[in-house]
């Protein structure tokens, strides 16, 4: 049984005709990284349907872990999000024209969930690989934060929750030029790809079960988080 | 007779163990871009000797045009400098321990010289090539500004002044991580190289003498600015 | 029985000889704002003792609500923090030489608590009063975030939890000059004071119990959160 | 004969309904600072008529020195401009709908003029007075730069050129809120006023002729630059 990674991007939205997260998810779809097959999906920037789409993707793909990617023009480097908070607050309408004012992602849900991917290991791997990235303390209050909160909320109750993380990417060079090159940092798609691959490898390396040490797990077929998540 | 481009970088200085301008000048040394041979030189970050070294380089290389490259951590994109001003003002000592306080580059010299490379054409070429860059209105008051002022001062009196320009480059990804990836924009060496090449091509394209239009120049052998500059 | 507001600042720390939050807490100590007496306290920048000191202050002052103030050089305006997260992560040693690496504020505690002051009302009041301020989505991972998390954790279990909020303030003009005026936004102490007063008034206005609407509370003497908090 | 200072602001323009430079010039009109009477004038943001209006103002007011003020949203502190360059380059139309693309302020004019006010003394005075300010190396390529270039060009040929300088001011607090308080530094009108006054005092102090040292000048009535400038 092969192991999968769910990797999602978002469709272009608002004033942006290109969304680097869309390009990244499609570029990596089907690739094998860290011994895992990448299952790329591109989601519409639609707040109301996001939870349902994520739930479907997690159920269908049964991934070993899940990574969301989002576009954050103005950021200078890859931002590995530490926490998803139970807030939606945005004036820029999503693709369905929805706006939110200090509303919860999940009414009655906890204030926040911590990302369950190994933040320090990924940041260290980026440093070793020469990819500029950092641990970010806020994913904002738009759909990227919603993705992280929803995905963590959906997986938190599983017997063996899969690692879930979110990475914000800066503008592409072409986008920086449109937004004003003097003020807008950028990163090439190649370096973004390297950063996503490096992150996946770091997670995969940590997730690898060591056969001699955990033989019983293999027997039970529960050591593959993807297998657990489908229950 | 072949045509040359003088391309200078600076040595690493101060707290920085690597200077991308050094890497760029050495990487492109000997390369042929836009039909011109690149003559790369790396200059020490030494204010007092800079004019002499530039004068020597211009005399020895007899370039068709000259491009200086300098490192500007914190910038988000390539900065094509518009103007060199007659000011030195820096607290960070240069490689000889020199500092300057509101001092002239050239006592009695004009307040400023405009860059003589085609700014708009280079910026347009960067836009077409997908290289983030912009026309910058200040090269600062450190050695990069000095380079531009000195080089323009040295070439201004020539019968046919050669094009002279200066390009500031951002931090490399590795440097951004050391300086703090969250706050420090970066650009890969590959994209910087593409940007320098694109700029050189744009200048070369414009410098190409059109035989029918300027026949007399060809006869006098003065159409090669390098030939003029050596007088 | 008078009503109190606990207002805390932090002592100067690290490279900073002045802490505006210290000046603010001391300036407002004893003042009456929005009908409440301000009880100002200045806390050492000491992670290990912070919870204990906060608990003592809340028990001794029995405030109607509590506001923490912290210094965030580099910010452009007052930052009203939305959420305190269960993370400590700082390389700059606190006053006791302590550093933390991705550690919890409260082992086993929830990932985050939301601020319980009325964020929108305060932001609107700032807008009306001409005080630049915004709702911030991250209080960082230093002691300011710890303050908010601890204070919310300490008050969350009360039968009638008091409003708890945290406000980050920018550099003072003098500090901006030391840090580099070109790059460091600043705000005058007068405007900061106006901002803190405006926030307190906005909270006070909302906290005022309306006699007809909540008669039972008055009878039970539990409508004063301070009276509840001491249990 | 009294001594005057010409102090100009600009009218509100483009998307901005208020221009702090307008408020500053009008607030200080008629005030006595450093022993000089302030003559405030507010200029339209109109590139084509700017030189004529400046020439008229200098001729009519015969100032001892002249200070222009301009609005630079996004700056963090007062910016004392070092140099006016012979460039106009702006896409944001002025009040007459004019735009410029890499055009000269004065065809055939020198590349730049240095400000003739004492930059270091003003910066030091700001530091002493607690006003955040710095020496800026670029006034941009809009009308503020044009003002400085034109005013220096108009006065440069005088037998005793008067000091001419330009100060950029940040957004007011109210403006920062409209532009986004999180990203837009601001300064109160009071602090701006203090900064302008401090600058004028620093210039006035330096301009004061010392009777014993220059008795002949008093006799010739040429020590008042305003008297010279009218020729």
């Amino acid at each position: 049984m092969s192991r999968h990674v769910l990797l999602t991007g978002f469709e272009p939205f608002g004033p942006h005709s290109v969304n680097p997260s869309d390009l990244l998810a499609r570029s990596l779809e089907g690739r094998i990284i860290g011994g895992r097959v990448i299952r790329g999906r591109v989601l519409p920037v639609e707040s109301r349907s996001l939870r349902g789409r994520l739930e479907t993707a997690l159920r269908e793909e049964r991934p070993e872990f899940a990574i969301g990617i989002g576009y954050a023009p103005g950021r200078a480097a890859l931002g590995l999000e530490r926490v998803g908070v139970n807030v939606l607050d945005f004036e820029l309408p999503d693709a369905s024209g929805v706006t939110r004012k200090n509303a919860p992602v999940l009414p009655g849900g906890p204030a926040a969930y911590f990302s369950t991917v190994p933040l320090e290991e990924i940041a260290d791997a980026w440093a070793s690989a020469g990819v500029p990235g950092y641990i970010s303390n806020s994913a904002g209050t738009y759909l990227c934060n919603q993705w992280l909160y929803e995905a963590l909320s959906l997986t938190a109750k599983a017997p063996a929750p899969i690692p879930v993380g979110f990475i914000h990417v800066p503008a592409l060079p072409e986008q920086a030029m449109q937004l004003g090159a003097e003020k807008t940092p950028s990163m090439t798609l190649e370096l973004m790809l390297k950063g996503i691959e490096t992150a996946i490898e770091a997670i995969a390396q940590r997730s690898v079960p060591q056969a001699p040490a955990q033989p019983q797990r293999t027997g039970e077929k529960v050591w593959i988080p993807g297998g657990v998540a489908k229950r």
Side-chain angles (χ1 to χ4, degrees), chain A:
Chain A
M1 180 182 180
S2 74
R3 291 177 290 182
H4 307 297
V5 175
L6 173 64
L7 186 75
T8 77
F10 283 108
E11 293 176 358
F13 70 104
H16 309 289
S17 60
V18 169
N19 191 325
S21 71
D22 171 29
L23 305 181
L24 291 164
R26 288 194 281 124
S27 293
L28 293 173
E29 153 64 23
R31 290 271 310 281
I32 297 176
I33 302 171
R36 276 73 175 171
V37 181
I38 306 302
R39 298 286 185 232
R41 293 204 177 194
V42 179
L43 305 168
V45 178
E46 205 181 81
S47 184
R48 278 186 299 221
S49 66
L50 183 56
R51 187 178 182 91
R53 290 178 197 274
L54 263 177
E55 196 165 16
T56 301
L58 289 166
R59 189 180 58 238
E60 290 179 356
E61 303 287 5
R62 288 181 283 156
E64 186 182 346
F65 50 91
I67 305 290
I69 312 174
Y71 175 35
R75 294 221 193 183
L78 300 183
L80 178 63
E81 298 301 339
R82 187 193 292 278
V83 61
V85 296
N86 194 8
V87 178
L88 290 174
D89 194 25
F90 51 92
E91 293 182 14
L92 177 69
D94 75 2
S96 299
V98 165
T99 61
R100 291 280 183 249
K101 186 81 173 170
N102 204 17
V105 173
L106 188 67
Y113 286 104
F114 282 118
S115 167
T116 48
V117 296
L119 302 178
E120 303 287 340
E121 281 86 340
I122 294 171
D124 289 349
W126 281 343
S128 300
V131 179
Y134 64 99
I135 299 172
S136 164
N137 293 310
S138 173
T141 56
Y142 200 56
L143 273 80
C144 293
N145 172 67
Q146 182 183 357
W147 188 103
L148 186 53
Y149 187 90
E150 302 272 27
L152 288 162
S153 155
L154 286 165
T155 57
K157 303 279 174 57
I162 64 170
V164 167
F166 196 90
I167 296 171
H168 267 118
V169 299
L172 292 167
E174 295 78 8
Q175 296 178 300
M177 281 184 297
Q178 286 172 358
L179 296 168
E182 184 170 357
K183 305 259 179 183
T184 313
S186 65
M187 188 180 279
T188 59
L189 192 65
E190 289 70 29
L191 195 54
M192 290 183 187
L193 283 166
K194 188 176 174 186
I196 302 298
E197 290 172 20
T198 301
I200 292 172
E201 284 164 0
I203 304 169
Q205 197 160 358
R206 217 205 189 187
S207 301
V208 172
Q210 281 143 32
Q214 311 178 325
Q216 78 291 357
R217 288 195 154 194
T218 313
E220 295 177 38
K221 291 293 187 204
V222 298
W223 64 269
I224 300 172
V228 167
K230 70 182 159 181
R231 294 185 199 169

